């Protein structure tokens, strides 16, 4: 009954034990005349989703989902579980599964997402020369910090980002790292909710000539997020997330096409090499590069982990090219008129543009629950001591808690809806900077820095990261408050004159 493409050593891949179960189940279904075994593409996509179950090396699989498996499988699951237990006993003597090519694809998927659509506005905020230079600088610095974390992980033989911090600095460092992960994922989800609401609003204005508020579309998304947040098996999100990635790819291709078309036919817009809102761009750039939570599970799943530094370097080079080219072509096309989301610069009366906006909105709508999954599970692991597998009361308390997290995220999104580019910048500055530029060099300094220059580099990067977090967060918040105050003052003056 074993699928020929899925061997015993596949179980070594994070989540492989569960995936092996699914593949064997699908094989039985094929024998019984039911749906076929998952395709290569679907199998690899489910593997990417499984990495979210090991986000930052944490074990985030909910024990409650075992109860669901039993309900779904009945007696059939018993035989397959025995088969998998036998495979699990052999797994320690088998090599890792993930090839170098697969690891590259997983890393590219981890880094390239919706954040690229905010970069043209970021170029407008900081200027094309500063923005391009900053993206290249942060690419190099991020690579150095990523490898610092991986080297510490290898030396300690600990796979959890939080546990590494706890081992070297005590429980408060573990809590600090996990808190930053939770804040960053909730921040991503909130930003994506606003992004989706903005695009849906533009879509309905274009197609139906109906204007609904951003708040209305935030509320509508809750009707999707709340049921999906109650999903305990991350594989159940595979269908929605697979569709989301296809939509994102199509949308990104159209962004390159249309911006290039505008530059060729209408010329370059009004652009500057430097601009005053560079602190906003810093947060946006770091928001775009944030993928550190998936590095540990990807490296751990590789067949040849020693090749990880090399492939990570090539991936960082590739994503930097994508970020610089996407941000640059968008800014070249629209210059000082560049909107927070580049799609809003496209002709709103065009059917193609409306379709792209809708597809992108659906893509983010369907992938946002995946962003929230690590945050919800980390919070649950810290709050709930007992499992809900045999206690319905605990299970329902968890359900209420998950709904509360979704509602809180929507409330944060509502607060950030008035100025999306600054909101994205704050998420990048306050939540992402510590994860990339503060914790890794600190951990490396504690364990591996054995020369003067190594210690000096770790201290310098930590100080730079902490300074960037404080200054850019404070400056962005200050600018945001000033902008809101100015808007209210103008509105008051207008009413007074009327």
């Amino acid at each position: 009954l074993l699928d020929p493409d899925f061997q015993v050593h596949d179980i070594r891949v994070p989540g492989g034990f569960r995936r092996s179960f699914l593949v064997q189940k699908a094989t039985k279904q094929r024998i019984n005349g039911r749906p076929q075994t998952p395709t290569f593409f679907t199998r690899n996509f489910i593997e990417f989703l499984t990495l979210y179950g090991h986000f930052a090396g944490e074990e985030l699989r909910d024990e409650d989902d075992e109860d669901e498996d039993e309900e779904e499988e009945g007696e059939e699951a018993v035989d397959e579980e025995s088969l998998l237990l036998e495979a699990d006993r052999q797994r320690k003597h088998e090599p890792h599964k993930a090839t170098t090519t697969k690891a590259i694809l997983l890393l590219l998927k981890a880094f390239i997402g919706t954040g690229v659509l905010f970069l043209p506005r970021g170029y407008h905020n900081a200027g094309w020369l500063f923005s391009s230079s900053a993206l290249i600088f942060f690419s190099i610095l991020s690579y150095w910090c990523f490898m610092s974390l991986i080297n510490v992980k290898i030396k300690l033989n600990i796979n959890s980002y939080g546990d590494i911090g706890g081992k070297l600095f005590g429980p408060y460092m573990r809590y600090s790292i996990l808190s930053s992960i939770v804040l960053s994922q909730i921040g991503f989800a909130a930003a994506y909710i606003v992004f989706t609401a903005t695009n849906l609003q533009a879509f309905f204005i274009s197609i139906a000539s109906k204007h609904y508020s951003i708040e209305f579309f935030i509320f509508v998304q809750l009707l999707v997020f709340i049921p999906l947040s109650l999903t305990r098996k991350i594989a159940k999100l595979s269908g929605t997330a697979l569709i989301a990635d296809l939509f994102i790819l199509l949308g990104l291709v159209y962004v390159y096409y249309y911006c290039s078309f505008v530059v060729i036919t209408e010329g370059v817009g009004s652009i500057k090499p430097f601009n005053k809102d560079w602190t906003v761009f810093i947060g946006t750039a770091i928001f775009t590069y944030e993928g550190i939570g998936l590095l540990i599970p990807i490296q751990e799943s590789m067949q040849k982990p020693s090749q990880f530094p090399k492939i990570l370097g090539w991936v960082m080079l590739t994503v930097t090219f994508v970020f610089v080219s996407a941000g640059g072509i968008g800014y070249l096309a629209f210059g000082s008129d560049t909107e927070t989301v580049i799609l809003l610069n496209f002709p709103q009366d065009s059917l193609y543009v409306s379709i792209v906006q809708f597809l992108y909105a659906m893509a983010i709508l369907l992938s946002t629950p995946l962003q929230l999954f690590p945050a919800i599970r980390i919070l649950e692991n810290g709050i709930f001591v007992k499992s809900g597998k045999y206690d319905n009361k605990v299970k329902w308390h968890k359900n209420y808690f998950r709904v509360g997290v979704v509602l809180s995220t929507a409330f944060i999104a509502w607060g950030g809806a008035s100025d999306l580019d600054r909101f994205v910048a704050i998420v990048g500055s306050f939540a992402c900077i510590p994860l990339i530029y503060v914790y890794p060099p600190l951990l490396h300094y504690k364990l591996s820095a054995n020369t003067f220059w190594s210690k000096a580099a770790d201290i310098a990067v930590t100080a730079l990261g902490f300074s960037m977090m404080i200054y850019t967060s404070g400056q962005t918040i200050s600018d945001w408050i000033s902008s809101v105050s100015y808007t209210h003052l103008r509105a008051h003056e207008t009413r007074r004159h009327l």
Side-chain angles (χ1 to χ4, degrees), residues 102-179:
K102 182 182 291 185
I104 291 173
L105 294 175
L106 292 174
L107 285 169
L108 288 171
K109 174 67 186 72
F111 283 105
I112 299 179
T114 310
V116 71
L117 296 183
F118 300 117
L119 285 174
R121 176 68 178 189
Y123 267 63
H124 163 69
N125 289 329
W128 64 266
L129 182 57
F130 179 89
S131 300
S132 300
S133 302
L135 283 173
I136 294 171
F137 171 76
F138 284 123
S139 174
I140 297 170
L141 187 61
S142 296
Y143 175 79
W144 188 87
C145 291
F146 293 156
M147 287 311 307
S148 294
L149 176 62
I150 294 298
N151 289 335
V152 171
K153 174 254 178 191
I154 293 172
K155 185 168 289 190
L156 285 178
N157 196 26
I158 297 177
N159 294 334
S160 164
Y161 194 173
D163 287 347
I164 292 172
K167 176 72 174 179
L168 296 179
F169 287 96
Y172 288 110
M173 176 60 84
R174 169 173 166 76
Y175 297 148
S176 181
I177 290 173
L178 293 182
S179 297

Side-chain angles (χ1 to χ4, degrees), residues 302-321:
M302 287 184 64
Q303 185 180 24
K304 298 178 180 179
S306 60
Q307 294 185 353
F308 184 79
K310 180 180 178 180
I311 68 168
L312 180 61
W314 282 107
V315 167
M316 293 300 293
L317 184 65
T318 302
V319 299
T320 301
F321 172 78

Side-chain angles (χ1 to χ4, degrees), residues 190 193 218 222 405-415:
I193 288 173
I218 290 176
L222 291 177
V405 172
V406 173
L407 293 176
S408 299
T409 304
F411 181 77
I412 294 171
W414 171 77

